[in-house]
Amino acid sequence: MERSNVTFVVEFILLGFSDLPNLRRLLFGIFLIIYINILIGNGLLIVITKINPTLQTPMYFFLGNFSFLEICYTSITLPRMLKDIWTQKGNIPFLECATQTCFFYILGAAECLFLAVMAYDRYVAICKPLYYPLIMNHKVCVQLVIAAWITGVPAQIGVTYQFFSQKFCGSNKLNHIFCDSSILLEIACGDTYQKEISLLVNTFFFVVIPFLLILISYFRIIATILKLPSTSGKSKAFFTCSSHLMVVCLFYGSVTIAYLRSKSSHSAKSNKVFALFYTIMTPVLNPMIYSLRNKDVIVAVRKLLLK
């Protein structure tokens, strides 16, 4: 019986927002505006960090790369979702689904590592200011960026292969907005315990460990700031870290809520909402956070727009 129920999957069907046909045009318009804002906002940050002489520092070098990552991260899911909403067809070929999942995990791991690298940069700047130019020289910055981009690639390819090489039973419909390994477990045949463990191990190395490194960095930053004699020095140091800290809270807060909820509280609609939150919220708010809270960025944007 189990063998007869095994399905050779050629394609999956992403149900997405098919249960809301009357809101199709509205949802398409909202997500299109969001995607355009992500492209323009993060694109502006990339341009000004490249061409403005006052922003040629490690912090803005990392910010430019992080903004490019945000564009790539969102482009994995949003364009496909817009197409599905407009055509009302969620058919996605097996290979395309696997590719989307793989790149989604690769870029997700890179985002966690980038946030850890940026936290380390703030730690060196505040806790070891005299050694900052020596420690965070251009060569080291380039090496950290390359490491953040490629470290997770082999592991994410391995995890993706493990999930998509399994056999599937029953329906090929995925009640989600994009392909995700956790959703594939629902239609997988047999015992999925090993795959769940591998997913947890992968999450530990590329989500939990970077978060712990960020926490350690900020504990030391706060301890150093509290020792500063002047109030103005303390406020300036806190202000320097505030933008990055807000982005960290947004990203990790949404990911934590999405993945660490109890299984009894899971529902298809809540999964979609939280998936949208951690895939869209950080990329769309990242330019606003860094521009509204940073005078150098505001001045650079004004100069660019005037030109």
Side-chain angles (χ1 to χ4, degrees):
M1 286 294 293
E2 185 178 348
R3 289 185 179 181
S4 63
N5 288 334
V6 174
T7 305
F8 180 74
V9 177
V10 178
E11 67 175 9
F12 294 102
I13 300 174
L14 292 169
L15 298 180
F17 298 101
S18 58
D19 56 335
L20 302 170
N22 296 330
L23 299 176
R24 178 173 66 93
R25 294 181 184 276
L26 177 62
L27 290 173
F28 181 85
I30 291 172
F31 292 130
L32 179 62
I33 291 170
I34 289 174
Y35 187 52
I36 291 172
N37 284 334
I38 290 171
L39 294 178
I40 294 175
N42 287 284
L44 269 175
L45 284 181
I46 294 169
V47 171
I48 63 174
T49 55
K50 291 292 183 184
I51 67 173
N52 195 292
T54 61
L55 302 183
Q56 302 303 309
T57 63
M59 183 176 75
Y60 295 110
F61 176 70
F62 294 134
L63 177 59
N65 279 274
F66 184 73
S67 297
F68 178 67
L69 172 63
E70 294 287 59
I71 291 175
C72 296
Y73 184 62
T74 312
S75 298
I76 294 299
T77 56
L78 257 183
R80 172 77 208 192
M81 189 175 70
L82 287 169
K83 174 180 173 292
D84 292 343
I85 293 173
W86 184 256
T87 61
Q88 292 185 305
K89 295 179 181 179
N91 302 60
I92 180 169
F94 182 87
L95 183 59
E96 185 180 339
C97 186
T99 303
Q100 185 186 59
T101 301
C102 185
F103 276 101
F104 182 73
Y105 282 160
I106 288 173
L107 296 174
E111 180 150 3
C112 295
L113 294 171
F114 258 106
L115 290 172
V117 167
M118 294 168 78
Y120 175 70
D121 173 65
R122 294 298 84 208
Y123 159 73
V124 177
I126 293 173
C127 300
K128 299 181 180 181
L130 297 178
Y131 296 98
Y132 183 74
L134 182 64
I135 297 174
M136 301 303 292
N137 59 68
H138 183 69
K139 182 180 178 180
V140 170
C141 291
V142 171
Q143 290 173 343
L144 288 172
V145 165
I146 293 172
W149 275 106
I150 69 172
T151 298
V153 172
Q156 307 315 318
I157 291 175
V159 169
T160 305
Y161 176 78
Q162 184 181 16
F163 273 88
F164 281 86
S165 62
Q166 66 188 339
K167 295 178 180 179
F168 300 99
C169 300
S171 174
N172 65 337
K173 294 181 179 179
L174 304 177
N175 196 2
H176 206 46
I177 55 176
F178 56 83
C179 290
D180 191 355
S181 298
S182 60
I183 304 300
L184 292 172
L185 289 174
E186 298 177 5
I187 60 171
C189 296
D191 186 15
T192 61
Y193 177 75
Q194 290 185 345
K195 294 178 178 63
E196 290 179 14
I197 292 298
S198 68
L199 192 60
L200 286 173
V201 171
N202 186 62
T203 303
F204 176 77
F205 277 104
F206 294 101
V207 179
V208 178
I209 288 182
F211 182 63
L212 292 176
L213 293 174
I214 293 169
L215 285 180
I216 292 170
S217 297
Y218 273 103
F219 278 135
R220 294 188 175 183
I221 287 170
I222 292 170
T224 302
I225 291 174
L226 293 176
K227 293 178 183 177
L228 294 176
S230 65
T231 307
S232 60
K234 291 179 181 179
S235 60
K236 185 178 179 181
F238 274 120
F239 188 80
T240 304
C241 301
S242 60
S243 298
H244 176 257
L245 196 56
M246 288 175 68
V247 173
V248 169
C249 292
L250 269 174
F251 179 75
Y252 274 100
S254 57
V255 169
T256 301
I257 294 171
Y259 283 100
L260 298 185
R261 293 173 297 150
S262 62
K263 290 186 178 180
S264 60
S265 67
H266 281 194
S267 69
K269 288 184 179 179
S270 65
N271 282 338
K272 293 174 189 178
V273 171
F274 284 112
L276 281 173
F277 194 82
Y278 67 77
T279 54
I280 292 176
M281 193 61 66
T282 305
V284 78
L285 291 181
N286 179 56
M288 299 181 192
I289 291 170
Y290 275 99
S291 60
L292 293 176
R293 299 184 61 84
N294 193 305
K295 292 180 181 179
D296 293 334
V297 173
I298 293 172
V299 171
V301 170
R302 284 178 180 172
K303 286 182 179 179
L304 181 64
L305 294 177
L306 287 173
K307 287 181 181 180

